């Protein structure tokens, strides 16, 4: 089979095509902030502290986003190799390994590595880590002490077990999470000299709540047949919700997205001329170096109509008695993470399975695809267990593709194409049998 030179996927929506300029602007804004003496911080997604950053005028540099950009540009290997040469194992998170390698190389060269995508990352004034999602993130920024003398503060993002009485632990977890956020506020105050303003945080929280609501409602439109927007577009349009949350720009983006999808549903605008099979991206982060594979599925009539990765949070309602914005943020964090716990206790026992079952039913799914990343334990461990448990309730075909989120050295194009072709044949046979 011939090698596919293009790494990115062809997009279906205008909203998705707008995102590249947004990503470029993120780098530009960070450079301008650095030049103006405004506080700049390395930050991590899914840490739930975005609103605090916006309220305290900290300009974020999203290090995981930069790793994904380098992978999409097929310019990751030099940074990965540098990290590995400094003793970081090649099974460490690809995001972390690339970020560490970038900072190590910058320290060695005394300047930003030449031709770094989007001009590289600016040197931060603070390193704001978290335990959210996985353990390497808690230590990643601490390890950068090898290459820079920058204040670091990591917070804990807690999520209770889903096999007990949630009411018994709720108050403890909310209190602990509130303390974690307050600790970050104090750290930022100390290193910026800026006083925290609760009213300003309330303003940001209101914008971000509305942003999540509109984003979530836009994705309900993807239940339509034919689907108005595929997953390759999602892996672009999620960007404002992760990197611009709490801003009017993000809210406006998702209002525009909603209108675009609404119009595409009304006019039955298809992703491909003949949507035969509807697929669910059911687990794992995407292979940023090989996003063309979504179009490869489409060449055989299969469209990814919804996904679990980087999806919009389900809207939750914080109790009305909560009057402090930091406590509100802690409540919202807790509720978003435990949203399906009670339903799981009554049914499958697993909240993630409940989400997958909702997607299979609501989006009329014909097949599930999972991506096992060699360097991302957090999103890979348990995939087969989840697949098997889902299939106890619905006999939907599933496949697990294996590579890495960043490192293209762990990927075989020929093998993937063969697996994809065989899987689509299985989906077609299964759907024909149901019919």
């Amino acid at each position: 089979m011939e090698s596919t030179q293009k790494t990115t996927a062809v997009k279906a929506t205008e909203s998705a095509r707008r995102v590249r300029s947004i990503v470029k602007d993120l780098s530009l804004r960070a450079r301008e902030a650095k030049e103006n003496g405004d506080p700049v911080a390395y930050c991590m997604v899914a840490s739930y502290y975005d609103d605090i950053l916006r309220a305290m005028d900290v300009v974020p540099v999203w290090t995981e986003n930069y790793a994904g950009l380098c992978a999409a540009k097929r310019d990751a290997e030099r940074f990965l190799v540098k990290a590995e040469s400094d003793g970081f194992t090649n099974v460490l998170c690809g995001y972390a390994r690339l970020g560490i390698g970038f900072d190590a190389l910058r320290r060695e060269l005394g300047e930003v590595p030449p031709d770094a995508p989007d001009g590289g990352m600016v040197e931060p004034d603070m390193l704001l880590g978290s335990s959210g999602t996985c353990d390497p993130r808690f230590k990643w920024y601490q390890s950068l002490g090898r290459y820079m003398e920058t204040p670091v503060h990591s917070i804990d993002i807690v999520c209770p077990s889903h096999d007990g009485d949630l009411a018994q632990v709720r108050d403890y977890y909310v209190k602990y999470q509130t303390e974690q956020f307050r600790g970050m506020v104090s750290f930022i105050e100390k290193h910026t000299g800026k006083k925290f303003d609760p009213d300003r945080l309330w303003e940001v929280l209101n914008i971000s709540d509305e942003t999540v609501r509109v984003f979530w409602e836009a994705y309900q439109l993807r239940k339509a047949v034919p689907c108005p927007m595929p997953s390759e577009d999602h892996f672009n349009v999620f960007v404002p919700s992760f990197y611009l949350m709490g801003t009017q720009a993000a809210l406006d983006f998702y209002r525009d997205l909603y209108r675009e999808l609404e119009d595409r549903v009304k006019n039955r605008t298809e992703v491909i001329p003949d949507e035969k099979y509807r697929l669910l991206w059911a687990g794992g982060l995407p292979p940023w170096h090989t996003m063309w594979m979504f179009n490869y599925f489409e060449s055989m009539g299969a469209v990814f109509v919804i996904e679990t990765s980087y999806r919009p949070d389900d809207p939750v309602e914080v109790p009305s008695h909560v009057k402090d914005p930091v406590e509100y943020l802690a409540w919202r964090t807790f509720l978003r993470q435990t949203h399906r716990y009670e339903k799981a206790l009554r049914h499958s026992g697993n909240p993630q399975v409940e989400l997958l079952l909702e997607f299979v039913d609501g989006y009329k799914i014909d097949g599930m695809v999972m991506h096992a990343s060699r360097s991302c334990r957090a999103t890979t461990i348990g995939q087969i267990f989840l697949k098997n448990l889902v299939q106890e309730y619905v006999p939907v075909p599933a496949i697990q593709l294996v590579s890495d989120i960043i490192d293209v050295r762990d990927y075989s194009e020929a093998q993937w194409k063969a697996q994809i072709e065989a899987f689509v044949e299985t989906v077609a046979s299964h759907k024909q049998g149901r019919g």
Side-chain angles (χ1 to χ4, degrees), residues 192-235:
T192 65
K194 181 180 179 63
K195 185 68 177 176
F196 170 67
D197 181 354
D199 292 335
R200 173 63 180 143
L201 180 55
W202 274 124
E203 292 175 7
V204 174
L205 288 167
N206 290 334
I207 292 175
S208 62
D209 280 348
E210 179 65 6
T211 301
V212 167
R213 184 190 67 80
V214 175
F215 187 17
W216 185 87
E217 289 184 353
Y219 272 34
Q220 305 313 298
L221 297 172
R222 297 173 67 194
K223 294 177 180 178
V225 180
C227 180
M229 189 187 87
S231 287
E232 61 265 32
D233 286 44
H234 159 76
F235 286 118

Side-chain angles (χ1 to χ4, degrees), residues 99-119:
I100 291 169
F102 176 90
D103 286 315
L105 197 55
R106 176 169 55 192
R107 175 65 176 267
E108 180 180 285
L109 297 173
E111 61 182 4
V112 171
D115 301 318
D118 286 5

Side-chain angles (χ1 to χ4, degrees), residues 70 88 96 170 218 243 260 296 359 364 387 402 405:
C70 290
F88 294 94
R170 182 195 63 194
Y243 309 124
E260 181 176 10
Y296 194 68
F359 282 170
K364 301 179 178 62
K387 175 190 77 70
V402 179
I405 49 176

Side-chain angles (χ1 to χ4, degrees), residues 88 100 103 107 127 139-152:
F88 294 94
I100 291 169
D103 286 315
R107 175 65 176 267
L127 304 170
K139 301 296 292 183
W140 171 359
Y141 289 173
Q142 293 178 20
S143 73
L144 295 184
R146 294 188 184 190
Y147 314 113
M148 60 179 75
E149 296 180 1
T150 305
V152 58

Side-chain angles (χ1 to χ4, degrees), residues 32 38 71 73 82 107 122-123 161 206 286 300 401:
E32 291 175 344
D38 298 329
K73 295 290 186 181
K82 177 56 181 173
R107 175 65 176 267
V122 301
E123 289 200 52
S161 170
N206 290 334
M300 291 170 275
L401 299 171

Side-chain angles (χ1 to χ4, degrees), residues 88-103:
F88 294 94
T89 174
N90 64 2
V91 296
L92 176 67
C93 166
Y95 290 156
R97 205 168 0 126
L98 187 139
I100 291 169
F102 176 90
D103 286 315

Side-chain angles (χ1 to χ4, degrees), residues 15 25 28 126 147 150 171 176 182 233 262 267 291 293 298 305 343 353 379 399 402 407 423:
S15 294
D25 286 344
L28 178 61
M126 296 174 286
Y147 314 113
T150 305
D171 291 346
Y176 179 78
R182 290 199 196 286
D233 286 44
E262 188 177 43
N267 293 303
M291 300 300 280
M293 63 94 178
E298 290 167 358
V305 300
K343 182 178 181 181
V353 169
T379 63
I399 186 176
V402 179
D407 197 341
F423 174 67

Side-chain angles (χ1 to χ4, degrees), residues 108-389:
E108 180 180 285
L109 297 173
E111 61 182 4
V112 171
D115 301 318
D118 286 5
M121 296 185 288
V122 301
E123 289 200 52
D125 304 302
M126 296 174 286
L127 304 170
L128 304 178
S130 87
S131 67
T133 307
C134 65
D135 53 332
R137 290 168 23 124
F138 204 81
K139 301 296 292 183
W140 171 359
Y141 289 173
Q142 293 178 20
S143 73
L144 295 184
R146 294 188 184 190
Y147 314 113
M148 60 179 75
E149 296 180 1
T150 305
V152 58
H153 183 81
S154 293
I155 66 170
D156 206 2
I157 302 296
V158 295
C159 186
S161 170
H162 53 72
D163 57 359
D165 185 350
L166 202 59
Q168 289 187 347
V169 300
R170 182 195 63 194
D171 291 346
Y172 169 80
Y173 275 86
V174 170
K175 181 176 183 293
Y176 179 78
Q177 193 65 73
T178 302
E179 292 170 351
Q180 290 293 298
F181 287 141
R182 290 199 196 286
M184 173 159 283
V185 168
S186 297
F187 178 84
I188 294 174
E189 285 183 324
K190 175 182 177 181
H191 291 283
T192 65
K194 181 180 179 63
K195 185 68 177 176
F196 170 67
D197 181 354
D199 292 335
R200 173 63 180 143
L201 180 55
W202 274 124
E203 292 175 7
V204 174
L205 288 167
N206 290 334
I207 292 175
S208 62
D209 280 348
E210 179 65 6
T211 301
V212 167
R213 184 190 67 80
V214 175
F215 187 17
W216 185 87
E217 289 184 353
Y219 272 34
Q220 305 313 298
L221 297 172
R222 297 173 67 194
K223 294 177 180 178
V225 180
C227 180
M229 189 187 87
S231 287
E232 61 265 32
D233 286 44
H234 159 76
F235 286 118
N236 273 46
V237 302
F238 85 90
V239 163
S241 73
F242 274 73
Y243 309 124
L244 288 172
M245 184 55 76
T247 68
Q248 188 63 41
L251 177 55
D252 291 344
F253 178 90
Y254 290 112
R255 284 172 172 166
D256 289 344
L257 175 66
Y258 184 93
R259 285 190 287 266
E260 181 176 10
L261 296 188
E262 188 177 43
D263 183 68
R264 289 176 68 90
V265 170
K266 179 181 178 180
N267 293 303
R268 295 184 59 82
T269 305
E270 302 173 305
V271 174
I272 56 176
D274 183 16
E275 179 187 289
K276 297 178 180 178
Y277 318 113
R278 295 169 65 86
L279 303 182
L280 162 63
W281 184 263
L285 301 180
W288 297 111
H289 49 70
T290 308
M291 300 300 280
W292 62 266
M293 63 94 178
F294 287 104
N295 296 148
Y296 194 68
F297 275 98
E298 290 167 358
S299 71
M300 291 170 275
V303 177
F304 283 85
V305 300
I306 197 63
E307 51 290 309
T308 59
S309 305
Y310 299 119
R311 70 183 187 88
D313 286 305
D314 297 300
V316 296
E317 187 172 346
V318 175
S320 60
H321 68 76
V322 180
K323 304 301 182 184
D324 177 87
V326 179
E327 184 183 357
Y328 179 96
L329 183 57
W331 267 96
R332 192 178 73 183
T333 300
F334 178 84
L335 292 172
R336 284 178 176 176
Q337 295 186 97
T338 59
H339 177 57
R340 288 181 175 80
Y341 277 31
E342 291 185 4
K343 182 178 181 181
L345 284 174
R346 296 191 303 267
H347 192 223
S348 69
N350 189 292
Q352 187 68 9
V353 169
E354 295 303 319
L355 174 65
L356 292 171
L357 290 173
E358 289 174 19
F359 282 170
V360 168
D361 179 57
Y363 291 82
K364 301 179 178 62
I365 297 300
D366 300 307
M368 301 190 303
V369 177
M370 296 178 169
H371 177 224
S373 173
R374 297 187 189 280
S375 74
C376 185
R377 299 190 309 277
T379 63
T380 298
I381 292 175
Q383 284 185 7
I384 300 302
F385 169 78
L386 294 175
K387 175 190 77 70
N388 292 341
L389 194 50

